[in-house]
């Protein structure tokens, strides 16, 4: 028997600049992970104006996401736009729906080398094993940078969103793709020729390096303590021939100035700072109280073309 759980967002921003009657001119950006769900609406003027962040209780993380998300979507005034309410179809759809999936694996393939029929093989080679039956390889093209991101996506999750938003334009990307999009925007406005971004998500960190406005490195790894984190990052910088004292490093995601990880990294990286919202992202004034570094992956979805 399915148990219904009432979930409330841990952070919610509802601006008056959002008009539920104008979803056809609005973009719905969603980020989905094992224990988290976030979404942001861009209105007709492409300003972020409606935002909610959900963290699933530990008991719920044992359930498949497709069993948890209905508890969030059910009767939600925004997420249910375009669905059936009390048996009556609503004449509200979205201009576009973008979904970032925080799945376990991804790889980047240069466009000249990419073949759609080999997408699963690219992931299998990277993972060291073939994809299980409930997953498939999905790709997203970073046209401006000349490569494609290939990542694993679960069939039930993709089917769930297709059923929730039938016949609506859905774009699936990996979380790393939204981070790449966001850092490309940050890099274009940076005065430094060498930039490194660290994005923290629970016990994982994504490292992105751009030099002379070109992507040089992108990878994600898990860590158990601050010492291991610092060692690995210093190792990567050495491999990239970057001098820690001369490298600009920006922090994003689930990290604060009081975290052990920050204190440990600050010992070795003198040019360490918390990042700002990408210049290409426009937000209503209600977001002024939100830490700018916190939601980079979600903001990156706003920048997808």
């Amino acid at each position: 028997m399915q148990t219904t759980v009432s979930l409330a967002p841990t952070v919610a921003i509802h601006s008056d600049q959002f008009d539920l009657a104008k979803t056809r001119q609005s973009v719905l950006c969603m980020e989905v992970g094992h224990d988290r769900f976030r979404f942001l609406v861009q209105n007709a003027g492409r300003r972020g104006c409606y935002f909610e962040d959900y963290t699933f209780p530990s008991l719920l993380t044992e359930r498949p996401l497709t069993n948890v998300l209905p508890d969030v979507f059910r009767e939600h005034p925004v997420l249910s736009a375009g669905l059936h309410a009390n048996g009556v179809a609503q004449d509200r759809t979205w201009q576009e729906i973008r979904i970032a999936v925080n799945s376990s694996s991804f790889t980047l393939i240069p466009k000249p080398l990419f073949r759609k029929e080999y997408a699963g093989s690219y992931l299998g080679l990277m993972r060291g094993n073939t994809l299980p039956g409930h997953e498939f390889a999905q790709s997203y093209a970073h046209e401006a940078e000349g490569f494609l991101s290939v990542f694993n996506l679960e069939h039930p999750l993709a089917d769930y969103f297709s059923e929730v938003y039938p016949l609506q334009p859905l774009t699936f990307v990996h979380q790393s793709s939204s981070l790449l999009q966001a850092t490309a925007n940050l890099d274009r406005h940076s005065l430094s020729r060498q930039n490194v971004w660290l994005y923290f998500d629970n016990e994982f960190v994504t490292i992105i390096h751009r030099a002379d406005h070109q992507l040089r490195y992108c990878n994600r790894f898990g860590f158990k303590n601050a010492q291991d984190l610092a060692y690995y990052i210093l190792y990567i910088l050495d491999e990239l021939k970057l001098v820690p004292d001369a490298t600009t490093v920006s922090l994003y995601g689930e990290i604060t100035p009081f975290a052990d990880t920050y204190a440990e990294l600050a010992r070795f990286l003198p040019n360490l700072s918390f990042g700002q919202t990408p210049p290409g992202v426009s937000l209503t004034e209600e977001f002024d109280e939100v830490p700018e570094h916190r939601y980079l992956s979600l903001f990156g979805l706003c920048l997808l073309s």
Side-chain angles (χ1 to χ4, degrees):
M1 179 177 178
Q2 179 68 47
T3 301
T4 300
V5 179
S6 177
L7 292 172
T10 56
V11 181
I13 296 174
H14 302 161
S15 170
D16 292 338
Q17 294 190 36
F18 173 67
D19 187 348
L20 189 59
K22 295 182 179 179
T23 56
R24 287 183 181 274
Q25 293 82 45
S26 303
V27 176
L28 175 59
C29 300
M30 295 182 280
E31 183 177 1
V32 185
H34 177 65
D35 58 357
R36 182 175 288 118
F37 171 75
R38 298 166 174 162
F39 76 91
L40 175 69
V41 176
Q42 289 180 289
N43 61 19
R46 291 300 173 262
R47 297 195 76 189
C49 58
Y50 197 107
F51 165 76
E52 289 184 358
D53 184 3
Y54 294 81
T55 301
F56 303 141
S58 57
L59 290 177
L60 291 185
T61 59
E62 301 303 319
R63 290 165 49 184
L65 275 174
T66 48
N67 287 348
V68 180
L69 290 178
D71 295 331
V72 179
F73 280 64
R74 188 177 294 108
E75 298 181 1
H76 192 287
V78 174
L79 295 174
S80 63
L83 308 183
H84 286 70
N86 299 321
V88 179
Q90 303 179 47
D91 186 24
R92 292 199 297 267
T93 58
W94 297 91
Q95 183 182 66
E96 187 180 352
I97 299 173
R98 303 167 183 170
I99 306 168
V101 180
N102 189 4
S103 60
S104 59
S105 55
F106 75 97
T107 187
L108 305 179
I109 306 296
K111 187 175 180 179
L113 302 180
F114 178 78
R115 298 293 182 273
K116 185 177 181 179
E117 61 270 24
Y118 297 144
S121 300
Y122 301 141
L123 278 182
L125 182 63
M126 186 274 296
R127 291 161 54 113
N129 53 65
T130 58
L131 292 176
H134 68 282
E135 297 180 3
F136 66 99
Q138 177 76 6
S139 64
Y140 175 78
H142 291 261
E143 297 288 355
E145 302 206 74
F147 58 79
L148 289 92
S149 168
V150 182
F151 59 99
N152 65 311
L153 181 60
E154 295 185 357
H155 282 287
L157 188 63
D159 292 342
Y160 173 76
F161 282 109
S162 295
E163 292 169 2
V164 169
Y165 301 110
L167 304 178
Q168 296 195 49
L170 301 178
T171 300
F172 287 96
V173 303
H174 191 263
Q175 182 194 63
S176 59
S177 281
S178 58
L179 292 174
L180 288 168
Q181 197 75 21
T183 57
N185 185 256
L186 288 162
D187 189 62
R188 283 194 294 271
H189 294 83
S190 174
L191 297 178
S192 174
R193 294 177 58 246
Q194 303 271 2
N195 291 292
V196 173
W197 295 269
L198 305 180
Y199 180 83
F200 291 85
D201 188 359
N202 293 328
E203 293 183 338
F204 288 87
V205 62
T206 300
I207 305 176
I208 296 174
H209 167 51
R210 293 181 180 276
D212 297 323
H213 306 301
Q214 297 291 323
L215 179 67
R216 301 300 185 192
Y217 183 86
C218 176
N219 202 359
R220 181 174 70 170
F221 72 95
F223 63 94
K224 292 299 183 182
N225 55 63
Q227 292 73 30
D228 288 349
L229 170 69
Y231 172 83
Y232 191 82
I233 289 176
L234 290 173
Y235 172 78
I236 293 299
L237 294 182
D238 183 64
E239 289 291 299
L240 295 172
K241 294 180 172 50
L242 296 175
V243 179
D245 289 351
T247 302
T248 301
V249 180
S250 301
L251 302 176
Y252 284 92
E254 305 295 322
I255 187 171
T256 72
F258 312 104
D260 292 341
T261 48
Y262 173 75
E264 186 68 15
L265 290 174
R267 292 176 54 201
F268 306 101
L269 302 171
N271 298 315
L272 188 69
S273 63
F274 286 86
Q276 297 179 331
T277 303
V281 175
S282 176
L283 303 168
T284 59
E285 61 184 13
E286 287 84 359
F287 285 82
D288 290 348
E289 300 301 316
V290 175
E292 291 191 63
H293 73 280
R294 186 73 178 273
Y295 298 111
L296 185 66
S297 55
L298 188 62
F299 292 162
L301 282 176
C302 299
L303 297 168
L304 294 182
S305 58

